[in-house]
Amino acid sequence: MPLKISTSGVAALIRKLSETGRTVFAPVSRGEFTDFDRVSTLEEADLSRVNTRSSVKRLFFPPTEPVLSFALDGRRVALDELPPAVPRTFVVFGCRPCDAAALPILDKVFSWDCDDRFYLARRAAGTIISIACTDCDDACFCTALGLAPDSAAGSDILLTPFEDGYIVDPCSDKGGALAKACRELLGECAADRAEILRAVRKKLPPPMDLNAIKVWLDRHFDDDHWRNASFKCLGCGCCTYLCPTCHCFDIVDEADSRRGLRRRNWDSCQFAQFTAHASGHNPRPVQAARWRQRIMHKFSYYVDRFGTRSCVGCGRCIRSCPVQMDLKHQLKGIETQARGDRKRR
Amino acid sequence: MKELQARAHELLASGEVAAVIGYAAGTVAGRATPVIITKPADASSLILDASCVNNLAVYLLRPEVRRLGKVAVVAREAAIRAIFVLMQENQLAADGVVIIGVAIPSPGDIPAEPRLLPGRTRDELLEHLKRAAVPRPDAPAEDETGRMSDAERWDYWRRQFAACIRCYACRQVCPMCYCSRCIVEKSRPQWIETSPHERGNFAWNITRAFHLAGRCVECGECERACPAGLPLMKLNRVLARHVREKFDYVAGTSFEGEALFTGFRPDDPDDFTR
């Protein structure tokens, strides 16, 4: 029998978590949209939207973070490695399954050639309670990428809306421990999950042939496609900054004449400066090359290196692009070309 | 719409322009998308309706577009003003672009149909802007920041800027932000900190607004594009109002002569210019 929690049970859970010293993050209203912020009660959260404007990424990999401090000490320079500014333990409540699925993707790159102590400290401290989607919008395309409105990847507990509460699925050791700790708030229910998600599944797109897309990408690095596909792209960083899996960063030193901080800031492959060399040479001199990089990184390079694509189909890049560079549409275009190639061969 | 398509077709077929920048139906329902067409047959994909919001003048100085040769651009009133500023600032030659002027009425306007403007020359288009009272004299109404004390206003913008993630969408969609290297990208020294913290965000957003004083045509693209929801037009409108009140100057209402901050007079009452 599946576990169940009522809405008042969720309210009690959030209260209990914050009273026992855990920081709780949830989507809160910012007027036109929602974003993650600290809450201490369920009432402060706004769970009515398809998704938050920014992704859950920022709670694990913040837009700016000091990593090192330095100061002149007589004739020497004193260096001090800074610890990650992380709450001891925190809970993300109400993120969507696509955002949760982005975290195992980010884990790979942040524990690859070196262990990123900032990101990994947050991952260790954070527990993810996601809520399955019963609605979507035009930009959503998780199903095209092999995910689903109730994917459990990356979640510690997955909630699925049901009657006046949620079905509760613990999906990790952390989630199991939390469910155990709040056992008194849980009941049992007989719910048909497929029925609950039937309507939203109908609205979501069919799976794409991602292998064919990768094969096409690997063969068409030099292709007019990139120039044509990127003509209207203005090269802002909206898509990459809102993306739950984009993870590029810049390192900057900010100092006065005596002391300063070294910071890690988000950076974007869509900026002309991103690959500019000190010599003046830029290996990606035009927007077409930068747009190609974004697609290649997500659907080819990341697959080669880590065995997974770095896109979860959350649709944020589509929703927020000022000129409607529509990733879903672009992938469909590539899929069509890939099928054409296959027929010719 | 038919008129617009016919005009685009004629421009491409006659070879007068190499490309037409306009709007096409988007892949997201209810939203038009910018499109660049080079074949006369594609003129039929152009649309004109209330979903056509982008200021397409932003494309004119992009290297990818410049390489095409002479282009025509579908220009709403704000875009016409933006093109005039670019001409005044010597970024576009007088015959460097074919302006396809269009009017897309706001709800309640008469006539209510989106339409091609009859004028084709710069003078005719300028005449239209004057007749249609663009910018509208009643448009830049004072917002609540004008009634705040300095401390309240500082606090208001501190809260707003806290959300800025420095994606630079505001800059990239702005037809006036054409510097080949933006000051925020100058790192020797780093004049403006790139970190999205309070200091960096104030420095960026205030500098951006200042650089648009007397140049902003109030198209609102920066505010529309901002993923953090910053009310950037409140800053831009305050500057436009000061420019109008102090200098009797409205950006983009002339395509020749000195732009506001490019002129120098030996008899300037302020001695810092000497």
Side-chain angles (χ1 to χ4, degrees), chain A residues 34-48:
Chain A
T34 58
D35 254 336
F36 286 104
D37 208 342
R38 283 161 199 256
V39 299
S40 44
T41 63
L42 179 61
E43 291 73 58
E44 293 166 61
D46 178 351
L47 304 172
S48 65

Side-chain angles (χ1 to χ4, degrees), chain A residues 160-195:
Chain A
T160 306
F162 175 60
E163 291 176 352
D164 72 326
Y166 302 92
I167 308 167
V168 180
D169 288 303
C171 24
S172 73
D173 293 346
K174 250 190 215 174
L178 179 59
K180 214 176 231 175
C182 64
R183 209 169 0 195
E184 76 280 5
L185 300 172
L186 305 180
E188 292 192 329
C189 68
D192 181 358
R193 185 193 307 278
E195 185 54 41

Side-chain angles (χ1 to χ4, degrees), chain A residues 65-77:
Chain A
E65 171 155 51
V67 295
L68 186 75
S69 74
F70 49 91
L72 276 180
D73 176 16
R75 291 173 59 87
R76 301 180 36 205
V77 178

Side-chain angles (χ1 to χ4, degrees), chain A residues 53 232 234 237 254 322 324 326, chain B residues 27 33 59 167 172 195 197 227:
Chain A
R53 178 68 68 91
K232 65 183 174 181
L234 293 171
E254 295 177 349
Q324 221 180 110
D326 181 338
Chain B
T27 48
T33 181
Y59 286 103
C167 67
Q172 295 307 103
S195 304
H197 51 36

